[in-house]
Amino acid sequence: MALEITPVTPVVGAQVSGVDLARLTDAEFAAIRDAWHRSAFVLVRDQKLSDDDLLAFSRRFGELDPPPNQERGRISPPGYPDIYVVSNVLDDKGEPIGALGAGEAAWHTDMSYLDEPPDASMLYALELPASGGDTWFCGMQAAYAALPEELKAKIRGRRIKHDGTYNSGGYLRQGVDPTDDPHKAPGAWHPAVCVHPVTGVPALYLGRRRNSYIEGYTPAESEALLDALWAHAIQARFTHAHRWRIGDLVLWDNRSTMHRRDPFDATARRVMHRTQIKGSARPVAYAA
Ligand code: SIN
């Protein structure tokens, strides 16, 4: 079957079919990389990937970032330190084999609390609950394009603090002191609007809501402005909920998307393996 690319929604996502990610030609890889840049996330269904296949495909995009520090540190399958396990499953000692449990994961951009966040992340579905656990994607380029001029003016030239204290499941990262003060929290400052280094398209770059702060405003002004920006960004017209099937691989561009996850039945099993591609540069401010 020949490679085919179809949009997932008019504003975000592309589905690529007719490929085996374990046996990709250079031309197929180039088409997937281009779709990822242009559509912000790429879905490829019906894959059968070993951890080695997942790593080999991931490394075609560049060097990998180690897994994020989560509530129990960095959890990887034995022998695969560059793979991060997202799972609620417990091992035979009753310890979680992965991070984030079965609860909701709030909207976020992966590891934006680093100075150089990963360019991409990908998630591969190995075991799934019968319902729940959908992963949602938000197209931040479309959100910026439709942002009212008044809000654009309020964030022009500003930076936002991205928190490294809590993960998207609301858990404290291992070894980090709890705080709800954005100025004391570990994290990174990034431009509120960033330009995509390949396509040149601007995107709203919010990262995550908790402990966020917009420079140059009082805490109350910053909170009000963040509330307005978030309410705008996560409207249904910019988002898509992905219902997983085993063998799905989703690759997303952290420079132009946020994602979140629905909760699911904690007694069901959900096992996902994730990699992240190291950032090629610090996020670059959009000069409007
Ligand atoms: C993640 O934020 O990478 C986890 C998303 C998910 O579990 O679907």
Side-chain angles (χ1 to χ4, degrees), residues 84 86 100 105 108 110 123 133-135 168 244 252 259-261 270 272 274:
Y84 157 46
V86 179
L100 291 181
H108 64 285
D110 286 330
L123 204 53
D134 292 3
T135 305
S168 58
W244 291 94
W252 60 89
H259 58 283
R260 64 170 289 280
R261 183 191 75 194
R270 186 175 188 270
M272 319 287 276
R274 197 181 97 177

Side-chain angles (χ1 to χ4, degrees), residues 1-270:
M1 238 173 75
L3 178 145
E4 222 180 286
I5 300 178
T6 46
V8 175
T9 82
V11 302
V12 71
Q15 180 165 353
V16 177
S17 50
V19 289
D20 175 353
L21 296 179
R23 284 173 198 75
L24 271 190
T25 64
D26 287 346
E28 287 171 334
F29 174 71
I32 291 173
R33 189 178 47 197
D34 187 59
W36 164 64
H37 284 145
R38 291 181 195 290
S39 303
F41 81 81
V42 167
L43 162 66
V44 191
R45 298 207 114 135
D46 303 319
Q47 300 299 300
K48 287 196 174 56
L49 302 178
S50 65
D51 285 335
D52 287 313
D53 295 331
L54 180 62
L55 285 177
F57 174 61
S58 304
R59 288 191 176 121
R60 291 183 85 150
F61 291 87
E63 201 184 329
L64 303 190
D65 249 342
N69 174 25
Q70 297 287 47
E71 65 270 21
R72 295 177 49 80
R74 299 170 205 278
I75 310 186
S76 299
Y80 290 91
D82 285 337
I83 292 181
Y84 157 46
V85 182
V86 179
S87 184
N88 64 319
V89 171
L90 305 181
D91 66 14
D92 46 16
K93 295 194 193 78
E95 302 291 339
I97 65 163
L100 291 181
E104 176 180 354
W107 284 111
H108 64 285
T109 296
D110 286 330
M111 296 157 75
S112 63
Y113 50 85
L114 301 179
D115 286 336
E116 290 191 6
D119 285 351
S121 306
M122 63 182 91
L123 204 53
Y124 178 57
L126 291 162
E127 291 186 61
L128 293 170
S131 62
D134 292 3
T135 305
W136 293 62
F137 294 93
C138 182
M140 300 302 279
Q141 295 174 336
Y144 178 71
L147 193 65
E149 195 46 53
E150 180 210 343
L151 289 178
K152 281 186 176 164
K154 284 188 172 160
I155 55 171
R156 193 161 290 136
R158 309 263 178 179
R159 294 181 310 159
I160 294 182
K161 175 78 181 283
H162 292 237
D163 178 56
T165 312
Y166 300 97
N167 70 15
S168 58
Y171 300 102
L172 185 68
R173 296 184 193 280
Q174 195 174 61
V176 175
D177 292 329
T179 178
D180 280 311
D181 180 346
H183 295 285
K184 294 198 181 115
W189 290 91
H190 295 301
V193 184
C194 295
V195 67
H196 194 284
V198 177
T199 63
V201 178
L204 194 53
Y205 194 60
L206 298 180
R208 60 191 70 215
R209 180 65 183 88
R210 189 163 181 183
N211 280 355
S212 184
Y213 169 73
I214 305 179
E215 72 178 345
Y217 288 107
T218 65
E221 287 166 343
S222 166
E223 283 295 294
L225 184 48
L226 283 166
D227 284 347
L229 292 169
W230 278 85
H232 168 82
I234 62 175
Q235 291 176 73
R237 61 185 166 136
F238 307 128
T239 66
H240 170 73
H242 177 60
R243 174 96 281 263
W244 291 94
R245 296 195 324 219
I246 288 173
D248 282 357
L249 180 133
V250 177
L251 160 72
W252 60 89
D253 194 325
N254 281 307
R255 301 160 294 194
S256 48
T257 56
M258 297 195 297
H259 58 283
R260 64 170 289 280
R261 183 191 75 194
D262 286 337
F264 57 95
D265 175 4
T267 63
R269 291 173 66 95
R270 186 175 188 270

